Amino acid sequence: MAEDSCTPLRVRFELRRRELRVAERIRLTPNMLRLILSGDLEGFQSLGFDDHVKLLFPDPQGGDTPVMRDYTPRAFDVSKGRLTLDFALHEPAGPATQWALQAKIGDLLHIGGPRGSQVWPDAFAHYLLVGDETALPAIGRRLEGAPAGQAITVLAMVENAAERQTWITQAKADICWLYRAQANDVLGAIDALSLGADPLVWIAGEAQWARTVRAHLHDKGLNPKRIKASGYWLKGEPGAHQALD
């Protein structure tokens, strides 16, 4: 594949703040809560499966500056004014988890963005998606939007079997669930894969974990230009979101 054919398309959007309200609550798993929001989504765009919007919460310390957290638009319908967000619940609960657990139908939430999208071409022979609970909304969106027959391998690290999700996809998908409670080793799972030449690799989750996975793939000789890694959270640092590549 020519190098320029694997370059992601970057698109910028006008940044806009929106006021939405909770329309539905769905408990997907014990630790994953889906909220469907409704409101004015005119002009809302999200072209990349791993885009993020900013959620704005009141400062728990009473300050004037809102607390912001990044979340993947799991699904959206501009014509119906509906935006779906999935919340990975955790303890101790931060502002986003706390709000999601307490949110009632009709409650208000302000969001901003997405600021832009990074869209990878569908020209790769194989895609590898590696992530923990916080990456599942993006992984689910990617699988559900994949063209028929596309080869996608997923390594999803969750607490236990109760956290598995079901995704409908036309892709030729091989989904492997790894369980933290059983000390499953993501690096060993990677070593057991047959990926072929130069797959596109996407990694997201706890920042140090994502760095370790990325370094392991580098050591295996995969093309670093075709590996995208993101720290969706950082242990011990609330609100961290880091691009690692």
Side-chain angles (χ1 to χ4, degrees):
M1 182 190 303
E3 194 64 38
D4 58 358
S5 68
C6 69
T7 302
L9 173 68
R10 298 178 186 274
V11 184
R12 305 294 287 181
F13 306 130
E14 178 185 356
L15 194 59
R16 178 176 166 186
R17 181 165 167 166
R18 302 173 189 274
E19 183 177 286
L20 305 176
R21 293 188 179 275
V22 178
E24 292 184 44
R25 291 173 53 94
I26 304 168
R27 200 64 171 256
L28 297 178
T29 70
N31 292 318
M32 187 68 75
L33 174 63
R34 172 167 293 174
L35 296 182
I36 300 177
L37 309 174
S38 66
D40 180 14
L41 288 182
E42 182 181 357
F44 183 91
Q45 296 185 72
S46 175
L47 305 179
F49 72 94
D50 58 350
D51 289 348
H52 62 266
V53 292
K54 293 281 187 185
L55 309 189
L56 289 74
F57 304 99
D59 184 350
Q61 306 302 321
D64 294 330
T65 303
V67 174
M68 294 185 288
R69 293 292 186 266
D70 294 325
Y71 274 78
T72 300
R74 178 62 178 81
F76 62 95
D77 187 325
V78 172
S79 65
K80 294 181 179 179
R82 308 271 280 188
L83 173 66
T84 299
L85 300 175
D86 289 352
F87 291 77
L89 308 176
H90 57 85
E91 294 182 358
T97 295
Q98 237 173 11
W99 179 86
L101 285 170
Q102 298 170 1
K104 304 180 296 296
I105 303 301
D107 280 0
L108 186 67
L109 178 65
H110 288 98
I111 73 163
R115 185 183 296 273
S117 294
Q118 179 177 262
V119 185
W120 290 87
D122 278 327
F124 295 88
H126 202 143
Y127 296 75
L128 173 62
L129 311 178
V130 186
D132 66 11
E133 293 91 341
T134 60
L136 297 186
I139 291 173
R141 180 174 169 182
R142 179 68 181 90
L143 286 171
E144 291 175 1
Q150 189 171 79
I152 300 178
T153 299
V154 174
L155 299 179
M157 176 66 76
V158 296
E159 185 61 23
N160 51 48
E163 297 303 320
R164 292 171 62 132
Q165 296 186 29
T166 299
W167 295 304
I168 298 173
T169 181
Q170 298 183 75
K172 184 181 178 183
D174 182 10
I175 301 171
C176 177
W177 292 94
L178 305 172
Y179 304 129
R180 198 174 293 108
Q182 296 177 12
N184 284 160
D185 177 16
V186 67
L187 304 186
I190 288 171
D191 289 341
L193 298 175
S194 177
L195 294 174
D198 282 341
L200 178 67
V201 181
W202 180 90
I203 308 161
E206 196 281 324
Q208 189 53 53
W209 180 83
R211 283 192 185 96
T212 300
V213 173
R214 182 188 60 179
H216 189 69
L217 290 164
H218 284 179
D219 291 344
K220 289 177 68 67
L222 271 69
N223 185 345
K225 293 183 178 180
R226 298 181 183 180
I227 299 175
K228 179 185 179 183
S230 299
Y232 275 11
W233 61 287
L234 178 61
K235 194 171 183 179
E237 187 174 325
H241 189 115
Q242 304 175 352
L244 304 179
D245 43 9

